[in-house]
Amino acid sequence: MMKKITLFEGDGIGPEITDAVLKILDELHLPLEFEKYDLGLTAFEKTGTLIPEDAIESLKRNQVALKGPCTTPIGHGFRSVNVQLRLLFDLYANIRPAQTLPNVKTRYENVDLVVFRENTEDLYIGEETVISVDEVHAIKKITRQASKRIIRAAFDYAVAQNRKRVTCVHKANILKKSDGLFLSVFEEIAKEYPQIASDSLIVDACCMNLVMHPERYDILVMPNLYGDIVSDLCSGLIGGLGVLPSCNRNDEIAMFEAVHGSAPDIAGQNLANPTALLMSACMMLDYLGYHSEADRVRHAVLDVLSHQELCTKDLGGQATCSQFAQSIIEHLK
Ligand code: NAI
């Protein structure tokens, strides 16, 4: 039976990288049908709405989406479409696996960690109050319920994927009540998983350790803001933003997207690296049960990455986005 998937191309480089990914997926001849909807600035320019109602209905119906990046104005303007979508669908777990790609030249050879970022609260609830022109307060919200479900998701993943350790990343030395609650929930839940080792680390020390010894980490679970920052750091460990995939999910709906943004500096020039979105699509194939097809694509990506001249500019090559996609198609076995 044909499985329908909601597709958001997004803004900036979004249309270029989604086009590349769809061409590659097409070669797999799977019973997948993509329902395309505008989202973000692109949707706003056409319809006056950032998240059109028909796009929402489509995701409710299909329960799986592949999403390109959406632009958010800095310091003014509308609230992030990404944050709005995650809240609208209560996609509480943002899962970002950072794994060394053997043929991508980086400072490290053996990174294999997964960041579990809480996706619905913390400073991202957007409650900022202007006290005066010289003072603004922002609310950091941490609840037991949201902490429980993301921490449990991290431990369940560790069990399912045969991982060894879950580390809680926090700043409970300073934020004793909010991050203190997150840490205490972690310590409670860790007891339910005696087969998985657990420990905790202050976020600043975590950043230093990740740069010094990323191979020591396995699963990292943390509140929203730290997850946003630490996962970008992790992308740097494996070759940059162009290669880090992610999944935003709850227990029914899953939305797969690259970690990077809309890259306005290179948009429309056919320069973007589609690997992160392609690896996100592979996570989606795994989620849908198409494991061997996901592996086929991953092997082709690794093959292509071993030829520097076939890589995109961000990885030191000369290929355009569409040439890179064509090389992957030619390397599918
Ligand atoms: P960005 O991730 O778009 O770009 C940062 C740098 O990485 C740029 O130099 C860009 O050219 C490069 N880069 C990113 N993705 C690349 C790719 N696939 N291939 C080659 N190079 C790539 O971050 P930036 O510039 O801070 O944000 C731009 C816009 O994207 C903002 O409006 C921001 O809010 C939004 N954004 C959206 C996200 C999403 O939709 N999930 C996530 C992060 C940012």
Side-chain angles (χ1 to χ4, degrees):
M1 213 175 82
M2 198 60 93
K3 167 74 189 143
K4 289 192 177 173
I5 293 167
T6 304
L7 175 74
F8 301 124
E9 287 188 334
D11 304 318
I13 58 171
E16 302 159 52
I17 57 174
T18 45
D19 182 60
V21 168
L22 290 189
K23 282 194 174 125
I24 296 163
L25 294 185
D26 214 32
E27 295 293 318
L28 303 174
H29 305 294
L30 292 170
L32 303 178
E33 183 184 331
F34 289 89
E35 279 183 5
K36 190 173 121 183
Y37 292 89
D38 289 320
L39 184 73
L41 268 187
T42 317
F44 191 78
E45 280 156 14
K46 289 187 192 166
T47 65
T49 319
L50 287 164
I51 310 180
E53 201 52 44
D54 55 354
I56 296 173
E57 286 308 315
S58 168
L59 182 47
K60 273 189 193 157
R61 221 175 28 245
N62 298 334
Q63 307 211 311
V64 179
L66 184 64
K67 175 186 165 294
C70 291
T71 299
T72 309
I74 296 175
H76 66 277
F78 59 82
R79 188 171 190 203
S80 159
V81 169
N82 307 308
V83 173
Q84 285 190 55
L85 259 187
R86 292 165 190 166
L87 291 178
L88 188 64
F89 286 97
D90 197 29
L91 302 174
Y92 67 84
N94 192 328
I95 305 164
R96 300 179 158 189
Q99 217 171 22
T100 296
L101 297 162
N103 302 320
V104 174
K105 225 170 133 194
T106 64
R107 291 184 174 80
Y108 311 94
E109 283 167 5
N110 42 6
V111 178
D112 183 11
L113 55 87
V114 187
V115 173
F116 272 71
R117 166 186 176 189
E118 200 290 321
N119 222 11
T120 60
E121 50 183 37
D122 198 352
L123 282 160
Y124 288 69
I125 59 169
E127 287 187 25
E128 294 182 297
T129 308
V130 177
I131 307 297
S132 74
V133 283
D134 298 316
E135 186 173 347
V136 179
H137 295 184
I139 296 197
K140 175 180 166 87
K141 177 180 173 187
I142 301 286
T143 65
R144 184 178 300 280
Q145 190 254 356
S147 305
K148 260 186 181 172
R149 61 186 184 174
I150 185 69
I151 292 165
R152 212 179 278 290
F155 276 100
D156 286 343
Y157 180 96
V159 172
Q161 301 293 322
N162 212 5
R163 296 280 189 152
K164 302 283 173 276
R165 186 160 53 114
V166 181
T167 302
C168 176
V169 179
H170 63 87
K171 188 77 187 170
N173 53 333
I174 304 299
L175 299 162
K176 294 179 195 291
K177 295 196 169 61
S178 51
D179 281 9
L181 174 59
F182 191 86
L183 178 59
S184 73
V185 170
F186 176 84
E187 285 166 350
E188 265 168 45
I189 290 181
K191 288 185 200 143
E192 296 172 24
Y193 298 83
Q195 71 277 42
I196 306 289
S198 63
D199 58 3
S200 61
L201 195 59
I202 293 171
V203 63
D204 36 355
C206 172
C207 291
M208 190 270 291
N209 285 342
L210 280 170
V211 171
M212 300 278 290
H213 298 291
E215 74 286 353
R216 290 187 186 165
Y217 293 93
D218 193 344
I219 310 263
L220 301 163
V221 62
M222 61 199 84
N224 208 337
L225 179 64
Y226 312 143
D228 193 357
I229 298 168
V230 169
S231 57
D232 267 30
L233 184 156
C234 291
S235 83
L237 303 175
I238 62 161
L241 279 168
V243 298
L244 191 67
S246 83
C247 167
N248 299 275
R249 70 158 177 79
N250 60 30
D251 302 335
E252 284 94 38
I253 297 178
M255 184 172 76
F256 298 84
E257 65 175 335
V259 165
H260 62 71
S262 55
D265 52 337
I266 56 167
Q269 301 171 49
N270 200 12
L271 289 176
N273 181 355
T275 302
L277 187 64
L278 184 58
M279 293 303 226
S280 309
C282 289
M283 287 175 84
M284 180 184 80
L285 293 181
D286 276 329
Y287 180 80
L288 295 173
Y290 295 117
H291 301 293
S292 64
E293 288 82 357
D295 284 342
R296 248 184 101 194
V297 175
R298 288 191 189 102
H299 286 133
V301 171
L302 292 185
D303 278 353
V304 172
L305 292 178
S306 67
H307 302 279
Q308 177 94 31
E309 73 284 2
L310 299 181
C311 293
T312 44
K313 232 175 164 178
D314 56 312
L315 298 180
Q318 290 301 324
T320 61
C321 178
S322 42
Q323 286 167 342
F324 182 77
Q326 187 54 38
S327 299
I328 290 179
I329 290 171
E330 285 161 17
H331 283 77
L332 280 172
K333 286 178 191 130

